């Protein structure tokens, strides 16, 4: 109970604990580039957001690029925004070379690839996400 009475309280203590875990977690480096420098970044989902995912899709191949999203990612990169491909595929090391090859074939730079969300992620573009207003729980 002493934790609750200190300035910042329990939430502050939990945040400090989780921040320490994030910074010391062995898999907290980016899957592809190895860049572990902290800093803000935008996540862009692959399947269904950056690449087509439909009833014919499989994990053995990545779908066709979605031109408007590819253009948006290129504009973000051109404007100095750090962009990471944020995909569940990254949990399988065999998928990383496939994603890299797909990016190369579709005119994208060698973006970082991850499936790990951290405190530095500022935005996520994803076909499955539902936006919730911060600190209220209200679905937007």
């Amino acid at each position: 109970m002493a934790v609750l009475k200190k300035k910042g309280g329990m939430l502050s203590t939990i945040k400090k604990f989780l921040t320490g875990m994030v910074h010391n977690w062995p898999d907290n480096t980016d899957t592809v580039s190895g860049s572990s420098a902290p800093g803000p970044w935008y996540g862009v989902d692959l399947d269904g957001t950056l690449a087509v995912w439909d009833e014919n899709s499989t994990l053995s191949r990545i779908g066709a690029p979605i031109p408007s999203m590819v253009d948006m990612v290129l504009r973000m990169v051109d404007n100095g925004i750090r962009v990471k491909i944020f995909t569940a595929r990254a949990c399988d090391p065999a998928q990383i070379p496939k994603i890299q090859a797909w990016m190369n074939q579709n005119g994208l730079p060698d973006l970082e690839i991850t499936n790990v969300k951290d405190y530095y992620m500022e935005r996520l573009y994803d076909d499955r996400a539902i936006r919730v207003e911060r600190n209220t729980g209200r679905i937007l």
Side-chain angles (χ1 to χ4, degrees):
M1 285 301 180
V3 171
L4 292 175
K5 293 179 182 178
K6 289 181 181 178
K7 185 172 180 158
M10 184 178 244
L11 289 178
S12 177
T13 302
I14 291 170
K15 185 173 181 179
K16 286 179 187 175
F17 173 76
L18 291 175
T19 300
M21 284 182 59
V22 166
H23 290 296
N24 297 313
W25 194 263
D27 292 328
N28 192 37
T29 57
D30 297 304
T31 308
V32 173
S33 69
S35 169
S36 59
W41 58 277
Y42 289 6
V44 179
D45 176 47
L46 182 62
D47 298 304
T49 301
L50 192 57
V52 172
W53 180 268
D54 60 22
E55 63 276 351
N56 299 317
S57 298
T58 68
L59 290 178
S60 62
R61 82 167 182 70
I62 300 171
I66 298 172
S68 61
M69 288 302 296
V70 170
D71 289 345
M72 186 184 81
V73 167
L74 291 172
R75 282 193 314 274
M76 287 191 290
V77 171
D78 286 346
N79 285 307
I81 296 170
R82 183 178 179 192
V83 177
K84 296 183 186 186
I85 302 298
F86 186 79
T87 177
R89 285 179 184 256
C91 68
D92 177 3
Q95 291 290 321
I96 302 304
K98 293 177 189 179
I99 298 167
Q100 290 171 317
W102 184 90
M103 287 189 296
N104 185 278
Q105 292 164 0
N106 292 289
L108 289 165
D110 186 25
L111 301 171
E112 300 166 63
I113 302 168
T114 189
N115 65 336
V116 178
K117 186 167 118 174
D118 61 32
Y119 284 116
Y120 299 107
M121 185 179 78
E122 292 186 346
R123 288 187 181 175
L124 174 61
Y125 295 90
D126 191 313
D127 62 308
R128 296 183 186 200
I130 297 173
R131 176 109 192 228
V132 177
E133 184 178 54
R134 181 177 293 153
N135 299 329
T136 68
R138 187 172 70 100
I139 296 173
L140 300 175

